[in-house]
């Protein structure tokens, strides 16, 4: 396996408080963003149609993208291209799909047809009650995954500080992308929940790798840390590059969901680098040199 040229950081130059300060400050800002969003909007992150309910029309029309909204009585939540010429996805909070279809095809005020193609290519509608049920199921899945990850961490190391370091890092890896979603208005959907579940797995992998090298393998603390970084940073940076390429490619071809998942994973993996090799590491160092009673 090829490695990046990972620099050997002189951790002895920094105290545990200095190492923990940056990731904890970022986590605090992320929690502040989510709390403020909950107070203002009623939800920590914007909810997609899967969870909030609504209607999605795929339309084929020569009407310019900026003028599509004028054909409907209700202002669309969003209008995005699909990558196919003259084809757009129009999303509404309303669940009255029949009325929206009629408005799109109205000969006087509706959308302009694109040749012989039907204006409305497909219709997808989700009721508010079904969306609320899906939201509860998705949140339950995230909680179960996080609790399961925490239990595995405690079973593997059976000591409080190394285990709680993994849990705190994973929690921060999850909260920071959620705050990012709020800031850039990426809606929470079944697809983005899948991306968040993947982040939990990535986080546990890198944190357990570091803990295992430091606590269970021979060698000096900093030597063990550098060995773990060579593998962990290589894997994480490679994954970040792959997610960035996926996000950019999906955006170019108009695949919004894949673009959202890619950018969420990219941000989450960047947070994981910070949390693993600053926050987790400072807790391990404290445990190794000060917390362990000999």
């Amino acid at each position: 396996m090829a490695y990046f040229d990972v620099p050997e950081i002189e951790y002895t130059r920094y105290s545990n408080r200095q190492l923990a300060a940056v990731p904890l400050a970022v986590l605090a800002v992320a929690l502040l963003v989510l709390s403020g969003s909950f107070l203002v909007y009623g939800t920590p992150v914007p909810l997609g149609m899967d969870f909030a309910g609504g209607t999605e029309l795929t339309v084929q029309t020569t009407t310019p993208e900026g003028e599509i909204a004028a054909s409907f009585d209700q202002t669309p939540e969003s209008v995005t291209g699909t990558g196919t010429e003259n084809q757009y996805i129009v999303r509404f909070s309303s669940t009255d799909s029949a009325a929206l279809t009629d408005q799109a095809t109205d000969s006087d005020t509706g959308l302009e047809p694109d040749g012989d193609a039907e204006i409305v290519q497909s219709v997808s509608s989700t009721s508010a009650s079904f969306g609320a049920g899906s939201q509860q199921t998705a949140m339950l899945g995230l909680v179960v995954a996080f609790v399961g990850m925490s239990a595995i961490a405690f079973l593997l190391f059976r000591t409080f500080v190394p285990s709680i370091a993994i849990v705190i890092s994973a929690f921060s890896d999850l909260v920071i992308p959620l705050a990012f979603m709020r800031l850039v208005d990426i809606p929470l959907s079944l697809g983005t929940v899948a991306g968040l579940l993947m982040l939990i797995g990535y986080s546990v992998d890198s944190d357990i790798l570091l803990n295992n090298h430091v606590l269970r393998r021979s060698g000096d603390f900093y030597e063990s840390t550098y060995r773990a970084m060579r593998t962990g940073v290589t894997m994480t940076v490679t994954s970040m590059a792959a997610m960035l390429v996926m996000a950019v490619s999906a955006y170019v071809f108009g695949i919004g969901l894949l673009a959202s998942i890619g950018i969420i994973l990219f941000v989450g993996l960047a947070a994981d680098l910070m949390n693993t090799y600053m926050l987790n590491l400072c807790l391990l160092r404290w445990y190794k040199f000060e917390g362990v009673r000999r």
Side-chain angles (χ1 to χ4, degrees):
M1 177 179 178
Y3 291 92
F4 290 105
D5 185 16
V6 179
E8 190 168 357
I9 300 172
E10 295 183 32
Y11 281 108
T12 54
R13 296 174 54 189
Y14 308 99
S15 68
N16 289 331
R17 288 185 179 181
Q18 288 175 319
L19 286 175
V22 174
L24 288 179
V26 175
L27 175 60
V29 171
L31 288 171
L32 185 63
V33 169
L34 294 176
S35 300
S37 174
F38 181 78
L39 292 174
V40 174
Y41 301 105
T43 58
V45 292
L47 299 179
M49 195 179 78
D50 293 335
F51 299 142
T55 300
E56 180 180 280
L57 301 182
T58 301
V59 298
Q60 186 79 25
T61 177
T62 56
T63 301
E65 182 175 348
E67 299 176 13
I68 289 177
S71 299
F72 299 93
D73 294 339
Q74 182 187 49
T75 302
E77 296 286 318
S78 65
V79 178
T80 55
T82 64
T84 302
E85 186 178 5
N86 295 334
Q87 192 174 88
Y88 306 92
I89 295 176
V90 190
R91 295 183 176 89
F92 300 86
S93 59
S94 170
T95 57
D96 191 352
S97 57
L100 293 170
T101 301
D102 290 341
Q103 292 166 27
T105 56
D106 187 278
S107 59
D108 296 322
T109 60
L111 302 172
E112 293 293 333
D114 181 21
D116 296 330
E118 292 186 6
I119 293 177
V120 177
Q121 301 288 303
S122 64
V123 181
S124 176
S125 184
T126 303
S127 68
S129 58
F130 183 82
S134 298
Q135 181 182 346
Q136 292 176 357
T137 302
M139 293 302 101
L140 179 62
L142 281 174
V143 171
V144 169
F146 191 85
V147 171
M149 174 276 300
S150 303
I152 290 173
F154 278 93
L155 285 173
L156 283 174
F157 295 99
R158 300 184 182 182
T159 46
F160 181 75
V161 174
S163 302
I164 203 65
I166 294 175
V167 173
I168 294 173
S169 293
F171 176 74
S172 184
D173 289 347
L174 200 59
V175 169
I176 292 172
L178 284 171
F180 176 80
M181 290 170 64
R182 171 74 273 176
L183 292 174
V184 300
D185 202 31
I186 294 177
L188 188 69
S189 64
L190 292 174
T192 52
V193 166
L196 293 171
L197 288 170
M198 290 173 65
L199 271 179
I200 295 177
Y202 275 119
S203 175
V204 173
D205 182 50
S206 58
D207 287 318
I208 288 180
L209 175 68
L210 176 63
N211 286 21
N212 193 56
H213 272 75
V214 169
L215 299 177
R216 293 182 173 175
R217 296 195 180 184
S218 59
D220 173 76
F221 176 86
Y222 297 105
E223 178 185 342
S224 299
T225 297
Y226 181 61
R227 286 202 307 266
M229 287 182 67
R230 288 185 65 221
T231 303
V233 172
T234 299
M235 292 191 304
T236 304
V237 172
T238 301
S239 299
M240 288 175 65
M243 293 304 106
L244 185 60
V245 169
M246 183 182 82
V248 172
S249 301
Y251 177 80
V252 170
F253 289 103
I255 310 173
L257 178 58
L258 278 181
S260 296
I261 293 174
I263 196 64
I264 289 169
L265 286 172
F266 179 84
V267 171
L269 289 170
D272 183 54
L273 280 178
M274 174 185 66
N275 289 318
T276 300
Y277 300 109
M278 294 181 73
L279 182 59
N280 191 355
L281 188 134
C282 78
L283 291 172
L284 281 178
R285 186 168 68 175
W286 178 87
Y287 171 77
K288 191 80 171 178
F289 295 111
E290 300 178 43
V292 177
R293 303 300 180 187
R294 301 184 189 281

